[in-house]
Amino acid sequence: MCSVCMDFKKTALWQKAFEMPNANANSTEQKFFSHGYERMRSRASVLTERISSDLPHMTIHDVTHLDALWEMASIAAGEHYDLNPAEAFVFGCAVLVHDAAMSLAAFPGGVTELKCTVEWKDFYARHFEASSDEVFAAQRATEDALRFLHGKHAEKLMGISWSGPQLQQIFLLEDMEL
């Protein structure tokens, strides 16, 4: 994590949901949901670290960007707003999934899968018409399609799996109980 970024575990929302005594949950439930979030965060960071290479002109969208949203949410919610551990887990997962979908790594078929979308084809046609350069048009279409589709694709990420080192299926959220 960068030195400027605040540790998300020090935010009010995190502390109230997972660290402080909570009238809506016991410490076992707090640990269950916080550890589940941390495992998913680790998997999502593999996807988000690729955003800078897939979208080089974007601002930083790695896991530190996602972590910073805990602070923004804490500020927006105010000091008297509490989430129980399950609600905080869902909030955190929504943050992770939304931007993780802005990476080619979020598409198990990679750029080949992205090129099959109507959106990519439309962006390609627009850029090719303007430049007559196939390589440029394909690169810009990929960037535009990733930005355009990431919210829609985020809805699918929890059900998508990737092949791991031993060709095992890996999901963002491994624990089916969660």
Side-chain angles (χ1 to χ4, degrees), residues 107 112-122 145 149:
F107 292 81
T112 303
E113 180 181 341
L114 186 65
K115 286 180 177 181
C116 290
T117 65
V118 170
E119 293 83 358
W120 188 92
K121 292 172 185 176
D122 286 348
L149 290 172

Side-chain angles (χ1 to χ4, degrees), residues 118-130:
V118 170
E119 293 83 358
W120 188 92
K121 292 172 185 176
D122 286 348
F123 285 123
Y124 178 83
R126 182 181 311 150
H127 291 298
F128 184 73
E129 183 179 325

Side-chain angles (χ1 to χ4, degrees), residues 2 8 12 17 19 33 36 83 153 178:
C2 68
F8 69 97
E19 305 292 336
F33 284 107
L83 295 177
H153 191 63
L178 285 168

Side-chain angles (χ1 to χ4, degrees), residues 16-124:
K16 290 177 182 180
F18 301 124
E19 305 292 336
M20 297 176 169
N22 190 313
N24 297 312
N26 61 45
S27 64
T28 302
E29 292 167 325
Q30 289 174 301
K31 287 178 186 163
F32 174 74
F33 284 107
S34 67
H35 290 304
Y37 174 77
E38 290 168 352
R39 288 189 306 272
M40 184 167 161
R41 180 182 175 275
S42 176
R43 288 185 180 89
S45 70
V46 172
L47 300 178
T48 60
E49 70 187 24
R50 298 273 314 275
I51 294 171
S52 64
S53 62
D54 295 337
L55 298 170
H57 307 307
M58 289 289 293
T59 58
I60 294 173
H61 275 73
D62 64 10
V63 76
T64 62
H65 168 74
L66 307 179
D67 291 347
L69 294 176
W70 281 90
E71 177 64 14
M72 295 299 101
S74 291
I75 291 168
E79 63 184 65
H80 300 294
Y81 193 83
D82 296 342
L83 295 177
N84 68 43
E87 292 167 335
F89 173 79
V90 170
F91 162 73
C93 290
V95 167
L96 293 174
V97 169
H98 178 75
D99 276 348
M102 202 169 5
S103 159
L104 276 174
F107 292 81
V111 71
T112 303
E113 180 181 341
L114 186 65
K115 286 180 177 181
C116 290
T117 65
V118 170
E119 293 83 358
W120 188 92
K121 292 172 185 176
D122 286 348
F123 285 123
Y124 178 83

